Amino acid sequence: MLCVMSLGFSLALFILSVVSIALSVLGVGLFTTPAVTHLVRVHADQRRRLARTWAGFDVPRPYRPLPPVAGMGSVVDRWSRLMRDPATWRDLAWLLTDAVLGFVWALFPPALIAYGVEGFVIMAGLWKAVQHDYWYAFIPVEGFGTATLCACLGAVLITISLYVNPSFVRGHFVIVKAMISPSRGAQLEQRVEHLYETRHDAVDSSAAELRRIERDLHDGAQARLVSMGMSLGTIEALVEKDPAQAKKLIAQARQNSADALTELRDLVRGIHPPVLAERGLGDAARALALRMPVPVETDVELDGRFAEPVESAAYFAVSEILTNAAKHARAKRVWLDVHYSEDAGGMLRIAVTDDGRGGADITKGTGMEGIERRLRQFDGILAVSSPPGGPTMVTMEIPCAPESGAGRPEPRP
């Protein structure tokens, strides 16, 4: 398959790309180049997926975003951006390299196996047709005896291929990774763009949180405190004239103060739960599970604390997902797994699985889009697997490092 993709598709797309770019002088390429470039990128993305599956290489996409087509001006702008994108020219160079060097590296594994099989075919009877006129490697085919030697050599070649062929395949994808991975400049550009987006997300989230706090204070505790103040004023006027009524109002004021205190505690818990500040993410996650209306089985393995913003983001993400499982998925049982891994420099991994009806989607407004924005501020990711009928599995990963010593942990840069 790699041989066909390298020599067939890569060479054909290279020729199409060169012709299309050349026709841009006549104006035709303005329309054909974006289409051909799209095919090139689809072809490159397929090779990136194979690199991840077959060789374990992660080859990110380096492409700049393109404007939508809306008139002749946008067509020219789209073509111009493609021509200014270094990834376009890196893909073009890779196509030619893949059609030559990549094809050779991909050809070695099947050729080595086929050549080994040929030795057995010679011994099976082909030697009668080719004897005295054919050499198998360094063995002249003269009769059944030399044909047997050919079979022995074929067995050796097949055995060797089992050990060296993975290296040839890996070498093919080393070329892919070297040529179509983002350059350092492209990586910095993507990083700046990501930081720009997450900064806006953080600002928007902070503004929304402030509005929520103001609304809760205005509609809850503030209203009760105002009512309590009015009751105290009335009590002051009635304490001598109507002591019985004053006692009723005192009891009402006491109840209002208790309700206001409860609402303030709930508000503080919504900003930063005390159990999270005092006991850490592990115990806070277990406390969340206990408060859920459906049974939640927890598997939490965290040895230390993490940065306060990281713990807060993870806590509220888990809270939102557990609430969705109970409220929207109609789950009967939920499994919560929280652990820390040293892979990739340190990763906090959280998985929430439920046996509900499934069909969860980040774009359906179930709160997961907000979770994704919250996690992106820490370079975290959110993955959702939720086929119709269930089960639903939500996985979160946040790059971070646990605290060392007595101080608070710091997020990994």
Short mmCIF file of all heavy atoms in Angstrom, two decimals, residues 234-280:
data_model
loop_
_atom_site.label_atom_id
_atom_site.label_comp_id
_atom_site.label_asym_id
_atom_site.label_seq_id
_atom_site.Cartn_x
_atom_site.Cartn_y
_atom_site.Cartn_z
N THR A 234 -38.68 47.70 60.99
CA THR A 234 -40.06 47.53 61.45
C THR A 234 -40.08 47.06 62.91
O THR A 234 -40.92 47.48 63.71
CB THR A 234 -40.80 46.52 60.56
OG1 THR A 234 -40.70 46.94 59.20
CG2 THR A 234 -42.25 46.42 60.96
N ILE A 235 -39.16 46.16 63.25
CA ILE A 235 -39.08 45.66 64.62
C ILE A 235 -38.79 46.81 65.58
O ILE A 235 -39.38 46.90 66.69
CB ILE A 235 -37.99 44.58 64.73
CG1 ILE A 235 -38.43 43.33 63.98
CG2 ILE A 235 -37.68 44.24 66.19
CD1 ILE A 235 -37.33 42.31 63.81
N GLU A 236 -37.90 47.69 65.19
CA GLU A 236 -37.55 48.84 66.02
C GLU A 236 -38.78 49.70 66.31
O GLU A 236 -38.92 50.25 67.42
CB GLU A 236 -36.47 49.66 65.34
CG GLU A 236 -35.92 50.79 66.20
CD GLU A 236 -34.82 51.56 65.49
OE1 GLU A 236 -34.57 51.30 64.29
OE2 GLU A 236 -34.20 52.44 66.14
N ALA A 237 -39.64 49.80 65.30
CA ALA A 237 -40.84 50.62 65.50
C ALA A 237 -41.91 49.90 66.30
O ALA A 237 -42.74 50.54 66.96
CB ALA A 237 -41.41 51.05 64.14
N LEU A 238 -41.94 48.56 66.27
CA LEU A 238 -43.01 47.80 66.93
C LEU A 238 -42.62 47.21 68.27
O LEU A 238 -43.48 46.66 68.96
CB LEU A 238 -43.47 46.65 66.00
CG LEU A 238 -44.15 47.04 64.69
CD1 LEU A 238 -44.45 45.78 63.87
CD2 LEU A 238 -45.44 47.81 64.97
N VAL A 239 -41.35 47.30 68.65
CA VAL A 239 -40.90 46.57 69.82
C VAL A 239 -41.63 47.03 71.10
O VAL A 239 -41.82 46.23 72.02
CB VAL A 239 -39.36 46.71 69.97
CG1 VAL A 239 -38.98 48.13 70.33
CG2 VAL A 239 -38.85 45.72 71.04
N GLU A 240 -42.02 48.28 71.16
CA GLU A 240 -42.74 48.77 72.33
C GLU A 240 -44.24 48.73 72.14
O GLU A 240 -44.97 48.47 73.10
CB GLU A 240 -42.29 50.19 72.65
CG GLU A 240 -40.81 50.29 73.06
CD GLU A 240 -40.41 51.71 73.40
OE1 GLU A 240 -41.28 52.59 73.26
OE2 GLU A 240 -39.25 51.93 73.78
N LYS A 241 -44.72 48.96 70.92
CA LYS A 241 -46.16 49.02 70.68
C LYS A 241 -46.77 47.61 70.55
O LYS A 241 -47.86 47.36 71.04
CB LYS A 241 -46.45 49.81 69.40
CG LYS A 241 -45.99 51.26 69.48
CD LYS A 241 -46.30 51.98 68.17
CE LYS A 241 -45.83 53.44 68.20
NZ LYS A 241 -46.11 54.15 66.93
N ASP A 242 -46.09 46.72 69.85
CA ASP A 242 -46.65 45.39 69.59
C ASP A 242 -45.55 44.35 69.72
O ASP A 242 -44.98 43.87 68.72
CB ASP A 242 -47.26 45.34 68.18
CG ASP A 242 -48.12 44.11 67.97
OD1 ASP A 242 -48.07 43.19 68.82
OD2 ASP A 242 -48.81 44.03 66.92
N PRO A 243 -45.18 43.98 70.95
CA PRO A 243 -44.08 43.04 71.16
C PRO A 243 -44.29 41.70 70.47
O PRO A 243 -43.33 41.08 70.00
CB PRO A 243 -44.03 42.88 72.67
CG PRO A 243 -44.69 44.12 73.21
CD PRO A 243 -45.75 44.46 72.22
N ALA A 244 -45.54 41.22 70.42
CA ALA A 244 -45.80 39.92 69.80
C ALA A 244 -45.45 39.94 68.31
O ALA A 244 -44.81 39.02 67.78
CB ALA A 244 -47.27 39.53 70.00
N GLN A 245 -45.90 41.00 67.62
CA GLN A 245 -45.58 41.13 66.20
C GLN A 245 -44.08 41.30 66.00
O GLN A 245 -43.49 40.77 65.04
CB GLN A 245 -46.34 42.31 65.61
CG GLN A 245 -46.16 42.49 64.10
CD GLN A 245 -46.72 41.32 63.30
OE1 GLN A 245 -47.63 40.62 63.77
NE2 GLN A 245 -46.17 41.11 62.12
N ALA A 246 -43.45 42.03 66.92
CA ALA A 246 -42.00 42.23 66.81
C ALA A 246 -41.26 40.90 66.93
O ALA A 246 -40.27 40.67 66.23
CB ALA A 246 -41.53 43.21 67.89
N LYS A 247 -41.74 40.01 67.81
CA LYS A 247 -41.10 38.70 67.94
C LYS A 247 -41.22 37.90 66.65
O LYS A 247 -40.28 37.19 66.25
CB LYS A 247 -41.74 37.94 69.11
CG LYS A 247 -41.37 38.48 70.49
CD LYS A 247 -41.99 37.63 71.57
CE LYS A 247 -41.61 38.17 72.96
NZ LYS A 247 -42.20 37.35 74.05
N LYS A 248 -42.39 37.99 66.00
CA LYS A 248 -42.56 37.28 64.73
C LYS A 248 -41.58 37.79 63.67
O LYS A 248 -40.97 37.02 62.93
CB LYS A 248 -44.00 37.44 64.23
CG LYS A 248 -45.03 36.73 65.07
CD LYS A 248 -46.42 36.92 64.49
CE LYS A 248 -47.49 36.23 65.35
NZ LYS A 248 -48.85 36.43 64.78
N LEU A 249 -41.44 39.12 63.65
CA LEU A 249 -40.52 39.71 62.68
C LEU A 249 -39.06 39.35 63.01
O LEU A 249 -38.23 39.19 62.10
CB LEU A 249 -40.69 41.23 62.63
CG LEU A 249 -42.03 41.73 62.05
CD1 LEU A 249 -42.12 43.24 62.15
CD2 LEU A 249 -42.17 41.28 60.59
N ILE A 250 -38.75 39.23 64.30
CA ILE A 250 -37.39 38.83 64.70
C ILE A 250 -37.11 37.41 64.21
O ILE A 250 -36.01 37.11 63.70
CB ILE A 250 -37.22 38.93 66.22
CG1 ILE A 250 -37.20 40.41 66.65
CG2 ILE A 250 -35.93 38.24 66.67
CD1 ILE A 250 -37.20 40.61 68.15
N ALA A 251 -38.10 36.54 64.38
CA ALA A 251 -37.92 35.16 63.89
C ALA A 251 -37.74 35.14 62.37
O ALA A 251 -36.91 34.38 61.83
CB ALA A 251 -39.12 34.31 64.30
N GLN A 252 -38.52 35.98 61.67
CA GLN A 252 -38.40 36.05 60.21
C GLN A 252 -37.02 36.59 59.81
O GLN A 252 -36.39 36.09 58.87
CB GLN A 252 -39.50 36.94 59.64
CG GLN A 252 -39.50 37.01 58.12
CD GLN A 252 -40.63 37.89 57.61
OE1 GLN A 252 -41.52 38.30 58.36
NE2 GLN A 252 -40.60 38.16 56.31
N ALA A 253 -36.53 37.60 60.53
CA ALA A 253 -35.20 38.16 60.24
C ALA A 253 -34.11 37.14 60.48
O ALA A 253 -33.12 37.05 59.74
CB ALA A 253 -34.97 39.41 61.08
N ARG A 254 -34.27 36.33 61.56
CA ARG A 254 -33.29 35.29 61.85
C ARG A 254 -33.25 34.26 60.72
O ARG A 254 -32.18 33.81 60.31
CB ARG A 254 -33.63 34.61 63.18
CG ARG A 254 -32.57 33.59 63.61
CD ARG A 254 -32.98 32.82 64.85
NE ARG A 254 -33.18 33.70 65.99
CZ ARG A 254 -34.36 33.95 66.55
NH1 ARG A 254 -35.46 33.36 66.05
NH2 ARG A 254 -34.46 34.76 67.58
N GLN A 255 -34.44 33.91 60.19
CA GLN A 255 -34.50 32.95 59.09
C GLN A 255 -33.85 33.53 57.83
O GLN A 255 -33.13 32.84 57.10
CB GLN A 255 -35.96 32.55 58.81
CG GLN A 255 -36.12 31.51 57.72
CD GLN A 255 -35.44 30.20 58.08
OE1 GLN A 255 -35.53 29.75 59.23
NE2 GLN A 255 -34.74 29.60 57.12
N ASN A 256 -34.11 34.83 57.59
CA ASN A 256 -33.50 35.48 56.41
C ASN A 256 -31.98 35.50 56.53
O ASN A 256 -31.26 35.31 55.54
CB ASN A 256 -34.03 36.90 56.26
CG ASN A 256 -35.43 36.95 55.69
OD1 ASN A 256 -35.86 36.00 55.02
ND2 ASN A 256 -36.16 38.02 55.95
N SER A 257 -31.49 35.74 57.73
CA SER A 257 -30.03 35.76 57.91
C SER A 257 -29.44 34.37 57.68
O SER A 257 -28.36 34.23 57.10
CB SER A 257 -29.68 36.27 59.30
OG SER A 257 -30.10 35.35 60.29
N ALA A 258 -30.16 33.32 58.16
CA ALA A 258 -29.67 31.95 57.95
C ALA A 258 -29.68 31.60 56.47
O ALA A 258 -28.73 30.99 55.94
CB ALA A 258 -30.52 30.97 58.75
N ASP A 259 -30.76 32.01 55.76
CA ASP A 259 -30.84 31.73 54.33
C ASP A 259 -29.75 32.49 53.57
O ASP A 259 -29.14 31.95 52.63
CB ASP A 259 -32.21 32.13 53.79
CG ASP A 259 -33.32 31.23 54.33
OD1 ASP A 259 -32.99 30.12 54.82
OD2 ASP A 259 -34.50 31.63 54.26
N ALA A 260 -29.49 33.73 53.95
CA ALA A 260 -28.45 34.52 53.29
C ALA A 260 -27.08 33.89 53.52
O ALA A 260 -26.25 33.82 52.61
CB ALA A 260 -28.46 35.96 53.81
N LEU A 261 -26.85 33.40 54.75
CA LEU A 261 -25.58 32.74 55.03
C LEU A 261 -25.42 31.47 54.21
O LEU A 261 -24.33 31.18 53.68
CB LEU A 261 -25.50 32.42 56.52
CG LEU A 261 -24.19 31.75 57.00
CD1 LEU A 261 -23.00 32.65 56.70
CD2 LEU A 261 -24.28 31.43 58.48
N THR A 262 -26.50 30.70 54.06
CA THR A 262 -26.45 29.48 53.25
C THR A 262 -26.14 29.80 51.80
O THR A 262 -25.32 29.13 51.15
CB THR A 262 -27.79 28.72 53.35
OG1 THR A 262 -28.04 28.37 54.71
CG2 THR A 262 -27.76 27.47 52.49
N GLU A 263 -26.81 30.84 51.28
CA GLU A 263 -26.57 31.21 49.89
C GLU A 263 -25.15 31.73 49.68
O GLU A 263 -24.53 31.47 48.65
CB GLU A 263 -27.60 32.25 49.44
CG GLU A 263 -29.00 31.68 49.34
CD GLU A 263 -30.01 32.72 48.87
OE1 GLU A 263 -29.62 33.89 48.71
OE2 GLU A 263 -31.18 32.35 48.67
N LEU A 264 -24.62 32.45 50.65
CA LEU A 264 -23.24 32.92 50.54
C LEU A 264 -22.26 31.74 50.56
O LEU A 264 -21.26 31.73 49.83
CB LEU A 264 -22.92 33.89 51.69
CG LEU A 264 -23.52 35.29 51.57
CD1 LEU A 264 -23.27 36.08 52.84
CD2 LEU A 264 -22.94 36.03 50.37
N ARG A 265 -22.55 30.74 51.41
CA ARG A 265 -21.69 29.56 51.43
C ARG A 265 -21.75 28.81 50.11
O ARG A 265 -20.72 28.34 49.60
CB ARG A 265 -22.12 28.65 52.58
CG ARG A 265 -21.72 29.16 53.96
CD ARG A 265 -22.31 28.30 55.05
NE ARG A 265 -21.83 28.71 56.38
CZ ARG A 265 -22.33 28.27 57.51
NH1 ARG A 265 -23.35 27.38 57.49
NH2 ARG A 265 -21.85 28.69 58.67
N ASP A 266 -22.96 28.68 49.54
CA ASP A 266 -23.09 28.02 48.24
C ASP A 266 -22.34 28.80 47.16
O ASP A 266 -21.73 28.20 46.26
CB ASP A 266 -24.57 27.88 47.86
CG ASP A 266 -25.31 26.90 48.76
OD1 ASP A 266 -24.62 26.06 49.40
OD2 ASP A 266 -26.54 26.99 48.83
N LEU A 267 -22.42 30.13 47.26
CA LEU A 267 -21.73 30.96 46.28
C LEU A 267 -20.21 30.77 46.38
O LEU A 267 -19.51 30.62 45.36
CB LEU A 267 -22.10 32.43 46.48
CG LEU A 267 -21.49 33.44 45.50
CD1 LEU A 267 -21.94 33.13 44.08
CD2 LEU A 267 -21.89 34.86 45.89
N VAL A 268 -19.71 30.76 47.62
CA VAL A 268 -18.27 30.55 47.82
C VAL A 268 -17.87 29.16 47.33
O VAL A 268 -16.81 28.98 46.71
CB VAL A 268 -17.91 30.74 49.30
CG1 VAL A 268 -16.48 30.30 49.55
CG2 VAL A 268 -18.09 32.20 49.70
N ARG A 269 -18.72 28.17 47.60
CA ARG A 269 -18.42 26.81 47.16
C ARG A 269 -18.38 26.74 45.64
O ARG A 269 -17.59 26.00 45.05
CB ARG A 269 -19.46 25.84 47.71
CG ARG A 269 -19.13 24.37 47.44
CD ARG A 269 -20.15 23.44 48.04
NE ARG A 269 -20.16 23.53 49.49
CZ ARG A 269 -21.14 24.05 50.21
NH1 ARG A 269 -22.22 24.54 49.60
NH2 ARG A 269 -21.08 24.10 51.52
N GLY A 270 -19.21 27.53 44.97
CA GLY A 270 -19.20 27.57 43.51
C GLY A 270 -17.99 28.26 42.95
O GLY A 270 -17.56 27.98 41.83
N ILE A 271 -17.40 29.19 43.72
CA ILE A 271 -16.19 29.87 43.26
C ILE A 271 -14.98 28.97 43.47
O ILE A 271 -14.18 28.75 42.55
CB ILE A 271 -16.00 31.20 44.02
CG1 ILE A 271 -17.18 32.13 43.71
CG2 ILE A 271 -14.69 31.86 43.63
CD1 ILE A 271 -17.18 33.39 44.56
N HIS A 272 -14.81 28.44 44.65
CA HIS A 272 -13.72 27.51 44.95
C HIS A 272 -14.13 26.68 46.16
O HIS A 272 -14.09 27.17 47.29
CB HIS A 272 -12.42 28.28 45.23
CG HIS A 272 -11.21 27.40 45.20
ND1 HIS A 272 -10.66 26.94 44.03
CD2 HIS A 272 -10.45 26.88 46.20
CE1 HIS A 272 -9.60 26.20 44.29
NE2 HIS A 272 -9.46 26.13 45.60
N PRO A 273 -14.52 25.44 45.94
CA PRO A 273 -15.04 24.62 47.03
C PRO A 273 -14.00 24.45 48.14
O PRO A 273 -12.82 24.24 47.87
CB PRO A 273 -15.34 23.28 46.35
CG PRO A 273 -15.47 23.60 44.90
CD PRO A 273 -14.55 24.75 44.65
N PRO A 274 -14.43 24.54 49.39
CA PRO A 274 -13.48 24.38 50.50
C PRO A 274 -12.76 23.03 50.49
O PRO A 274 -11.57 22.96 50.80
CB PRO A 274 -14.37 24.52 51.74
CG PRO A 274 -15.54 25.33 51.27
CD PRO A 274 -15.76 24.92 49.85
N VAL A 275 -13.47 21.94 50.11
CA VAL A 275 -12.83 20.63 50.10
C VAL A 275 -11.72 20.58 49.07
O VAL A 275 -10.71 19.90 49.26
CB VAL A 275 -13.88 19.53 49.83
CG1 VAL A 275 -14.47 19.66 48.43
CG2 VAL A 275 -13.27 18.14 50.03
N LEU A 276 -11.88 21.33 47.99
CA LEU A 276 -10.83 21.38 46.97
C LEU A 276 -9.61 22.12 47.50
O LEU A 276 -8.46 21.71 47.27
CB LEU A 276 -11.36 22.05 45.70
CG LEU A 276 -10.40 22.16 44.52
CD1 LEU A 276 -9.97 20.77 44.04
CD2 LEU A 276 -11.04 22.94 43.38
N ALA A 277 -9.85 23.22 48.21
CA ALA A 277 -8.73 24.00 48.74
C ALA A 277 -8.02 23.27 49.86
O ALA A 277 -6.79 23.34 49.99
CB ALA A 277 -9.24 25.36 49.22
N GLU A 278 -8.78 22.52 50.67
CA GLU A 278 -8.19 21.89 51.85
C GLU A 278 -7.64 20.50 51.58
O GLU A 278 -6.60 20.13 52.12
CB GLU A 278 -9.25 21.82 52.96
CG GLU A 278 -9.74 23.18 53.42
CD GLU A 278 -10.94 23.07 54.32
OE1 GLU A 278 -11.35 21.92 54.63
OE2 GLU A 278 -11.51 24.12 54.71
N ARG A 279 -8.34 19.71 50.75
CA ARG A 279 -7.98 18.29 50.59
C ARG A 279 -7.42 17.97 49.21
O ARG A 279 -6.86 16.89 49.03
CB ARG A 279 -9.21 17.42 50.85
CG ARG A 279 -9.86 17.66 52.21
CD ARG A 279 -8.96 17.18 53.33
NE ARG A 279 -8.73 15.76 53.22
CZ ARG A 279 -9.55 14.82 53.71
NH1 ARG A 279 -10.66 15.18 54.35
NH2 ARG A 279 -9.25 13.55 53.57
N GLY A 280 -7.60 18.82 48.23
CA GLY A 280 -7.07 18.55 46.90
C GLY A 280 -8.08 17.94 45.96
O GLY A 280 -9.23 17.63 46.33
#
